[in-house]
PDB file of all heavy atoms in Angstrom:
ATOM      1  N   VAL A1312      68.388 100.461  32.343  1.00 89.00           N
ATOM      2  CA  VAL A1312      67.747 100.891  33.557  1.00 89.00           C
ATOM      3  C   VAL A1312      67.839  99.739  34.541  1.00 89.00           C
ATOM      4  O   VAL A1312      67.244  98.721  34.302  1.00 89.00           O
ATOM      5  CB  VAL A1312      66.284 101.317  33.380  1.00 89.00           C
ATOM      6  CG1 VAL A1312      65.634 101.630  34.693  1.00 89.00           C
ATOM      7  CG2 VAL A1312      66.175 102.500  32.467  1.00 89.00           C
ATOM      8  N   ASP A1313      68.623  99.958  35.628  1.00 84.00           N
ATOM      9  CA  ASP A1313      68.786  98.880  36.647  1.00 84.00           C
ATOM     10  C   ASP A1313      69.174  97.557  35.980  1.00 84.00           C
ATOM     11  O   ASP A1313      68.510  96.556  36.208  1.00 84.00           O
ATOM     12  CB  ASP A1313      67.653  98.810  37.524  1.00 84.00           C
ATOM     13  CG  ASP A1313      67.465  99.962  38.467  1.00 84.00           C
ATOM     14  OD1 ASP A1313      68.461 100.660  38.713  1.00 84.00           O
ATOM     15  OD2 ASP A1313      66.365 100.213  38.948  1.00 84.00           O
ATOM     16  N   ASP A1314      70.157  97.535  35.163  1.00 82.00           N
ATOM     17  CA  ASP A1314      70.744  96.311  34.540  1.00 82.00           C
ATOM     18  C   ASP A1314      69.806  95.666  33.515  1.00 82.00           C
ATOM     19  O   ASP A1314      69.965  94.487  33.269  1.00 82.00           O
ATOM     20  CB  ASP A1314      71.109  95.332  35.588  1.00 82.00           C
ATOM     21  CG  ASP A1314      72.225  95.849  36.524  1.00 82.00           C
ATOM     22  OD1 ASP A1314      73.000  96.696  36.054  1.00 82.00           O
ATOM     23  OD2 ASP A1314      72.245  95.446  37.695  1.00 82.00           O
ATOM     24  N   GLN A1315      68.850  96.386  33.006  1.00 87.00           N
ATOM     25  CA  GLN A1315      67.990  95.872  31.871  1.00 87.00           C
ATOM     26  C   GLN A1315      68.043  96.860  30.765  1.00 87.00           C
ATOM     27  O   GLN A1315      67.779  98.026  30.923  1.00 87.00           O
ATOM     28  CB  GLN A1315      66.526  95.714  32.386  1.00 87.00           C
ATOM     29  CG  GLN A1315      66.348  94.598  33.363  1.00 87.00           C
ATOM     30  CD  GLN A1315      64.874  94.475  33.789  1.00 87.00           C
ATOM     31  OE1 GLN A1315      64.056  95.362  33.492  1.00 87.00           O
ATOM     32  NE2 GLN A1315      64.540  93.351  34.340  1.00 87.00           N
ATOM     33  N   GLU A1316      68.420  96.331  29.611  1.00 88.00           N
ATOM     34  CA  GLU A1316      68.536  97.195  28.439  1.00 88.00           C
ATOM     35  C   GLU A1316      67.162  97.520  27.874  1.00 88.00           C
ATOM     36  O   GLU A1316      66.271  96.670  27.814  1.00 88.00           O
ATOM     37  CB  GLU A1316      69.383  96.520  27.321  1.00 88.00           C
ATOM     38  CG  GLU A1316      69.751  97.466  26.220  1.00 88.00           C
ATOM     39  CD  GLU A1316      70.778  96.895  25.278  1.00 88.00           C
ATOM     40  OE1 GLU A1316      71.011  95.666  25.330  1.00 88.00           O
ATOM     41  OE2 GLU A1316      71.360  97.687  24.473  1.00 88.00           O
ATOM     42  N   LEU A1317      66.975  98.808  27.513  1.00 88.00           N
ATOM     43  CA  LEU A1317      65.668  99.263  26.978  1.00 88.00           C
ATOM     44  C   LEU A1317      65.896  99.979  25.683  1.00 88.00           C
ATOM     45  O   LEU A1317      66.908 100.603  25.454  1.00 88.00           O
ATOM     46  CB  LEU A1317      65.005 100.241  27.960  1.00 88.00           C
ATOM     47  CG  LEU A1317      64.611  99.674  29.310  1.00 88.00           C
ATOM     48  CD1 LEU A1317      64.112 100.828  30.210  1.00 88.00           C
ATOM     49  CD2 LEU A1317      63.500  98.640  29.161  1.00 88.00           C
ATOM     50  N   ALA A1318      64.877  99.866  24.821  1.00 88.00           N
ATOM     51  CA  ALA A1318      64.900 100.612  23.582  1.00 88.00           C
ATOM     52  C   ALA A1318      64.621 102.105  23.937  1.00 88.00           C
ATOM     53  O   ALA A1318      63.974 102.411  24.913  1.00 88.00           O
ATOM     54  CB  ALA A1318      63.866 100.099  22.592  1.00 88.00           C
ATOM     55  N   ALA A1319      65.063 102.988  23.079  1.00 84.00           N
ATOM     56  CA  ALA A1319      64.907 104.450  23.352  1.00 84.00           C
ATOM     57  C   ALA A1319      63.442 104.838  23.417  1.00 84.00           C
ATOM     58  O   ALA A1319      63.080 105.722  24.216  1.00 84.00           O
ATOM     59  CB  ALA A1319      65.651 105.265  22.261  1.00 84.00           C
ATOM     60  N   ASP A1320      62.526 104.194  22.657  1.00 86.00           N
ATOM     61  CA  ASP A1320      61.135 104.592  22.700  1.00 86.00           C
ATOM     62  C   ASP A1320      60.424 104.004  23.932  1.00 86.00           C
ATOM     63  O   ASP A1320      59.374 104.528  24.262  1.00 86.00           O
ATOM     64  CB  ASP A1320      60.433 104.142  21.409  1.00 86.00           C
ATOM     65  CG  ASP A1320      60.568 102.654  21.172  1.00 86.00           C
ATOM     66  OD1 ASP A1320      61.395 102.012  21.781  1.00 86.00           O
ATOM     67  OD2 ASP A1320      59.792 102.125  20.275  1.00 86.00           O
ATOM     68  N   ARG A1321      60.976 103.074  24.640  1.00 88.00           N
ATOM     69  CA  ARG A1321      60.385 102.495  25.816  1.00 88.00           C
ATOM     70  C   ARG A1321      61.099 102.931  27.089  1.00 88.00           C
ATOM     71  O   ARG A1321      60.903 102.405  28.159  1.00 88.00           O
ATOM     72  CB  ARG A1321      60.400 100.971  25.764  1.00 88.00           C
ATOM     73  CG  ARG A1321      59.859 100.475  24.439  1.00 88.00           C
ATOM     74  CD  ARG A1321      58.723  99.542  24.442  1.00 88.00           C
ATOM     75  NE  ARG A1321      58.354  98.916  25.632  1.00 88.00           N
ATOM     76  CZ  ARG A1321      57.105  98.749  25.980  1.00 88.00           C
ATOM     77  NH1 ARG A1321      56.124  99.206  25.243  1.00 88.00           N
ATOM     78  NH2 ARG A1321      56.805  98.107  27.065  1.00 88.00           N
ATOM     79  N   PHE A1322      62.018 103.897  26.923  1.00 88.00           N
ATOM     80  CA  PHE A1322      62.855 104.302  28.081  1.00 88.00           C
ATOM     81  C   PHE A1322      62.062 104.925  29.214  1.00 88.00           C
ATOM     82  O   PHE A1322      62.242 104.592  30.392  1.00 88.00           O
ATOM     83  CB  PHE A1322      63.949 105.304  27.563  1.00 88.00           C
ATOM     84  CG  PHE A1322      64.912 105.712  28.564  1.00 88.00           C
ATOM     85  CD1 PHE A1322      65.720 104.844  29.219  1.00 88.00           C
ATOM     86  CD2 PHE A1322      64.995 107.049  28.945  1.00 88.00           C
ATOM     87  CE1 PHE A1322      66.625 105.227  30.159  1.00 88.00           C
ATOM     88  CE2 PHE A1322      65.882 107.479  29.865  1.00 88.00           C
ATOM     89  CZ  PHE A1322      66.717 106.562  30.503  1.00 88.00           C
ATOM     90  N   GLY A1323      61.135 105.822  28.881  1.00 86.00           N
ATOM     91  CA  GLY A1323      60.318 106.497  29.917  1.00 86.00           C
ATOM     92  C   GLY A1323      59.452 105.513  30.688  1.00 86.00           C
ATOM     93  O   GLY A1323      59.369 105.606  31.897  1.00 86.00           O
TER      94      GLY A1323
END
Side-chain angles (χ1 to χ4, degrees):
V1312 175
D1313 289 338
D1314 299 331
Q1315 291 183 342
E1316 189 169 16
L1317 295 173
D1320 58 344
R1321 311 237 345 138
F1322 183 62

